Amino acid sequence: HNAASQPAHNTMNTHQPKRKFPNILITGTPGTGKTSLCQSLIGSYLQTQLGHPYKYHNISEIAIKHNLIDEDDVERNTKVINEDAICDHLENCGMGSFHADRDGAHLVDYHSSDFFAERYFDLVVVLRSRTEILHQRLEKRQYPQQKIRENMDCEIFQVCLDEAMNSYPDIDVVEMQNNHLGDLETNCEKVLYCIKRYQENNSIE
């Protein structure tokens, strides 16, 4: 079920008013290409296709820029973000409030999905990659071997996909493969398809 037309589950969210443009979470194991996809989408693709810009939130960059860090995990060579502070930041950007954010059009990029409020999103995209390709990408980033092993296990056991499906039972969770350069364009088209389907199913008068 990795085609945009076949979400991992397909139950439209009936618990909140509908936004003009869906808020989207792009998640997945580090190295699956979340940031590359987001940058392609916000670069000009969505603006050109929809006539409306998307606001991009890279959670790792936000945490560093605004010092929303709880601690440095030296062993894993990573920073532990303050999840409550991140959510406060997103709320201040208008996410989570339909009245403050009727247009929607927020694009969030992070490898974890379970701490965000469900009301933030209308669509979750989980990027997946083949293990040999993911391993090459993580080595290029010069990750420590322990961190590579942990991320490889995360992908093999589809941790990010299961987390997203469990965290967002009432909206579409769509799995997309990202192994080759051509997949980037394909996935942009799939995201656009999902946005248009959301708009067709949730037309606002």
Side-chain angles (χ1 to χ4, degrees):
H1 47 239
N2 56 16
S5 56
Q6 296 293 325
H9 53 65
N10 177 16
T11 48
M12 284 297 169
N13 193 344
T14 56
H15 302 306
Q16 64 187 32
K18 302 307 173 187
R19 300 175 178 98
K20 190 172 180 184
F21 297 91
N23 288 345
I24 303 170
L25 171 64
I26 308 287
T27 189
T29 306
T32 50
K34 298 179 295 298
T35 302
S36 296
L37 176 60
C38 288
Q39 289 174 342
S40 294
L41 289 168
I42 63 165
S44 62
Y45 185 78
L46 291 181
Q47 170 80 57
T48 302
Q49 298 291 332
L50 299 170
H52 191 282
Y54 258 71
K55 299 170 281 290
Y56 176 48
H57 309 276
N58 181 312
I59 298 302
S60 297
E61 290 180 0
I62 289 168
I64 293 169
K65 180 180 178 182
H66 298 282
N67 196 29
L68 307 180
I69 306 291
D70 270 349
E71 61 177 306
D72 282 321
D73 187 335
V74 178
E75 187 179 339
R76 290 185 172 82
N77 188 29
T78 190
K79 296 182 185 298
V80 180
I81 66 168
N82 183 322
E83 295 176 350
D84 289 339
I86 289 290
C87 289
D88 287 344
H89 175 88
L90 293 176
E91 297 266 357
N92 289 336
C93 293
M95 288 191 66
S97 168
F98 174 75
H99 299 291
D101 190 39
R102 192 174 175 84
D103 279 349
H106 289 276
L107 185 67
V108 175
D109 166 358
Y110 197 53
H111 61 261
S112 183
S113 63
D114 62 354
F115 67 92
F116 299 112
E118 281 186 69
R119 67 182 185 278
Y120 289 0
F121 302 112
D122 308 290
L123 170 69
V124 178
V125 173
V126 183
L127 287 182
R128 305 292 307 278
S129 293
R130 293 212 307 269
T131 50
E132 67 274 16
I133 291 172
L134 183 63
H135 193 275
Q136 291 170 2
R137 292 174 182 164
L138 297 177
E139 283 196 321
K140 277 186 181 176
R141 294 184 180 188
Q142 298 184 315
Y143 277 12
Q145 283 303 311
Q146 181 187 350
K147 191 172 181 180
I148 290 177
R149 280 196 301 273
E150 287 177 357
N151 283 315
M152 294 297 293
D153 285 345
C154 182
E155 185 64 9
I156 290 166
F157 295 110
Q158 63 178 45
V159 171
C160 293
L161 178 63
D162 289 346
E163 182 180 284
M165 291 180 67
N166 290 330
S167 300
Y168 303 94
D170 295 320
I171 63 174
D172 281 356
V173 174
V174 182
E175 182 182 359
M176 298 184 189
Q177 288 290 326
N178 182 36
N179 297 303
H180 307 291
L181 200 55
D183 292 337
L184 192 60
E185 184 178 350
T186 301
N187 288 337
C188 283
E189 292 170 356
K190 287 180 178 179
V191 171
L192 179 65
Y193 171 87
C194 289
I195 292 172
K196 290 186 172 179
R197 187 179 65 178
Y198 170 89
Q199 291 177 317
E200 288 168 6
N201 290 338
N202 302 286
S203 58
I204 298 172
E205 297 305 323

